Amino acid sequence: MASSSQASTRAEDLAWVHSTTLGVAAYRQAVIAVAKRHLSGLEKPFDIYSSTASTAYQPWVGIARQSSHTLQTLATSYAIDKAFPITARAYPAMWATNCAGWDDRGADLQCVTCRLDSAHNLAGSTDEAKSKIMVLIVTRADIEGNPKTAYEVLDHPGTIGHVAVSGPHTRFSNLRVPAKNVLAPPGHGAEIIEVAFIASAALVGAMSVGLMRRCFESALDFAKRDHRNGTAPIITLQSVVDLLLNIKIRCEASRALTWKACSALEANPAAAELAYETKIFCSENAVQSVVEAMNAVGVVSYGDSQPFGIMMNDALCLPLFDGGNVGVRRRQIEALFSTEDYDPWASTFGKTSRTVFRGLEHDNRAGSSNA
């Protein structure tokens, strides 16, 4: 480590080269910047939240104090490389659609949800964990400005459906991004993610409707033109028509629920329940519709000359992704049902639903008494 006199001489040399008068204030800021940039490399492992009484960190604490700052301040303020390091401590990221970009070096823009683990302590209650969740923006330039090992694509897992979608298995290893890239600070990240997943739940309903529509059209077309070695197309068979009717009803009901959920997202504070119900109802109906379409068509539907196998592989993903129906979406509705002020019809009629119903009930009673 350079002595104070050597550091002063070096600062004076730099000031002379740049024809700049380096005053006390400028010199102090330069010292802070140098300390911040190189401090963490002097001691491994380096923890800015270490106790000031720790013997191992006494020299670095002393440097910080001489600049009138704590280690935490040096690590988060006033310096030229202020940044957040992103590291996957437990499980590398997986199924983040298209996040690897075209060349496995990252998409143009990523929103990374992570936890501010300042004390390297993963324990704590759910509320404590949520208070540490944040969202960072990561760009291609950020990745290129880090060592190559800071961002790696480990694998491109194969899927039975949606084969054109990229859901890579990636890993962050101390990838540093500027502090200005904070999209949601700790304590606000969880709320933003929850809101984003409300809207996406309704969109899964739209995906399900599209698949059911294609499924119905394919089965109907087959039933009208194929006789199955009989004297008439199988559309004339009641059992086939019943199966097609089930698919059509599910499709129309799912379309109506999806439309209602999407239209309520920005107008009704209680619209989250509709979005969750849309995700569950539509995605599970999509799977059942493909099953019944294959039953209507018969064993030929299992051949790769028919589209039903591809549809089934795609449909099976709908209840599982974007928050699984069993582990996430039904649990979200369960939590809503359990709240003290839960209004069963607020998601349908708005927060005034109880008042409206009471008013209608009063009017009906008044009308009956007058009659």
Side-chain angles (χ1 to χ4, degrees), residues 2-17 22 27:
S3 65
S4 58
S5 60
Q6 290 174 321
S8 299
T9 301
R10 180 56 179 157
E12 291 172 0
D13 291 341
L14 290 174
W16 181 82
V17 169
L22 194 63
Y27 178 79

Side-chain angles (χ1 to χ4, degrees), residues 312-332:
M312 178 58 78
N313 288 341
D314 287 349
L316 288 173
C317 180
L318 299 176
L320 303 175
F321 87 128
D322 198 72
N325 288 358
V326 174
V328 177
R329 297 307 185 182
R330 279 185 166 84
R331 303 292 70 79
Q332 289 173 320

